Amino acid sequence: ACGVTDGDILGPFYRPGAKAAVKLADAGTEGTRLVLTGTVLRPDCKTPVAGASIDFWHCDHKGAYDIKTPDEKIAPENYRFRAMAQTDKDGHFVFETIVPGRYGIPPGLEGFEAYAGQTRPAHFHLTVTHPIYLPLTTQIYMTGDPFIGKDPWARHSKLIMAVKKSDAGSTGQVEIVLANRPGQRRA
């Protein structure tokens, strides 16, 4: 059944201003390589959305973000595992990166105090924007992660990606379906 992709929390480690990039991991980066491909679709679940902006970020293979606290400021040139991309004419995007690690929600994290110590499943964050459709902030989880069912956000997600492993690395593919703006005719 066709449905608009559910939103998810932005999370406290988002930072604007990532550079345009497809490759987020170089040869010296630790972690399991992953090529994540996706397609952004209109609400009809068939028609691709060209020119959508994808703001993408995640932690490293040990579960650490490039900032240690949500209020820490770092320059965009020091960003790690953060990038921007545009969908092509067929609505496709790609990121060459690593599989992120899991991490425990630290105590005292503002707005997340009730979840201190909770282990987050491995996930990717993304915000998709396009002038015609509602912006979407969501997370991509991976099948088989034992922490999905215990996570207050992941357990409700329908955006759980199968990861195919090979000697060359891992691959995963997702479809993102955007919603019409209020008052906009259905696509």
Side-chain angles (χ1 to χ4, degrees), residues 100-179:
R102 299 179 189 104
Y103 59 88
I105 297 175
L109 186 59
E110 187 176 347
F112 295 86
E113 295 88 353
Y115 305 106
Q118 172 82 37
T119 299
R120 296 283 344 262
H123 60 279
F124 299 97
H125 298 265
L126 66 155
T127 296
V128 183
T129 56
H130 188 276
I132 297 175
Y133 302 99
L134 282 176
L136 172 69
T137 297
T138 194
Q139 295 181 29
I140 301 169
Y141 303 96
M142 290 164 269
T143 56
D145 191 313
F147 291 95
I148 289 174
K150 300 171 189 167
D151 186 81
W153 303 282
R155 70 176 170 226
H156 302 292
S157 180
K158 294 182 181 94
L159 198 52
I160 301 176
M161 172 180 73
V163 175
K164 296 177 184 172
K165 297 177 182 179
S166 74
D167 291 340
S170 299
T171 60
Q173 185 174 354
V174 295
E175 284 189 346
I176 307 289
V177 180
L178 298 180

Side-chain angles (χ1 to χ4, degrees), residues 10 13-21 24 53-57 66-67 73-85 95 127 129:
L10 178 68
F13 297 105
Y14 171 72
R15 289 291 176 273
K19 66 180 179 179
L24 283 76
S53 293
I54 313 289
D55 194 345
F56 181 80
W57 70 102
D66 54 4
I67 55 175
K73 305 253 187 280
I74 62 172
E77 59 268 15
N78 295 324
Y79 284 176
R80 289 189 58 227
F81 305 116
R82 299 178 190 269
M84 293 286 299
F95 291 105
T127 296
T129 56

